[in-house]
Amino acid sequence: MALERTFSIIKPDATKRNLTGKIVAKFEEAGLRVVASKRIQMTLAQAQEFYGVHSERPFFGELCEFMISEPVVVQVLEGEGAIAKNREVMGATNPADAAPGTIRAEFAESVGENSVHGSDAPETAAVEIAYFFSGLELVG
Ligand code: DAT
Ligand code: MG
């Protein structure tokens, strides 16, 4: 499998509970390397654009309000098969369905407040990375 990059967000429920380091440790233990990282306060417009694919879903408003409720940590993770590997480390969207040892099983509070975002495909990873980072900020 090729060296790949994926986009990650440590979400407000996790930054609020001071879990950033514990979550990054999970990435690193899985062989993912943090090649870019910054703590930001998302704006409502950014949250709405980022989650635009979900704009018709009933939880869209709640999701965007949650994403701006506290700072988040946006990161680019690099590794062999990084997109799939990160999804594996994250666990299922609903923490009730997440495998033991995954980030969402250990830390997520609910399906809506589920501690992390991770890109789901190479195309979305490229768009999401470019939305939050310039090329100069990615240091492999
Ligand atoms: P994932 O974050 O695992 O890629 P997704 O892309 O289907 O999941 O949904 C994006 C986010 O939207 C998810 O992390 C939390 C929120 N969400 C999804 N399904 C939800 C639901 N049934 N109720 C409330 N929030 C939901
Ligand atoms: Mg998704």
Side-chain angles (χ1 to χ4, degrees):
M1 216 177 272
L3 201 62
E4 192 173 62
R5 285 175 173 176
T6 191
F7 177 73
S8 164
I9 305 178
I10 301 176
K11 294 185 179 181
D13 66 287
T15 61
K16 188 178 182 174
R17 288 176 291 146
N18 214 17
L19 294 171
T20 300
K22 285 190 169 143
I23 290 174
V24 171
K26 292 273 195 192
F27 296 147
E28 292 181 341
E29 282 160 16
L32 294 166
R33 180 178 298 276
V34 178
V35 298
S37 182
K38 59 189 173 189
R39 181 175 162 96
I40 62 165
Q41 174 65 56
M42 257 198 214
T43 64
L44 183 59
Q46 275 177 326
Q48 287 169 337
E49 186 173 344
F50 182 77
Y51 275 126
V53 66
H54 296 301
S55 63
E56 301 304 318
R57 309 283 286 275
F59 55 80
F60 182 66
E62 196 183 338
L63 173 62
C64 294
E65 288 298 331
F66 165 62
M67 291 302 290
I68 67 167
S69 65
E70 293 279 335
V72 297
V73 176
V74 291
Q75 299 187 309
V76 179
L77 309 176
E78 184 181 83
E80 296 288 321
I83 295 168
K85 190 174 282 182
N86 183 39
R87 296 292 308 193
E88 201 178 302
V89 174
M90 288 164 60
T93 306
N94 186 341
D97 302 328
T102 60
I103 293 168
R104 283 166 165 170
E106 287 194 15
F107 304 124
E109 304 205 287
S110 65
V111 64
E113 305 202 358
N114 59 4
S115 303
V116 279
H117 165 83
S119 308
D120 57 13
E123 299 73 31
T124 47
V127 170
E128 291 172 359
I129 289 169
Y131 189 62
F132 286 101
F133 291 98
S134 77
L136 289 174
E137 291 177 298
L138 310 179
V139 185

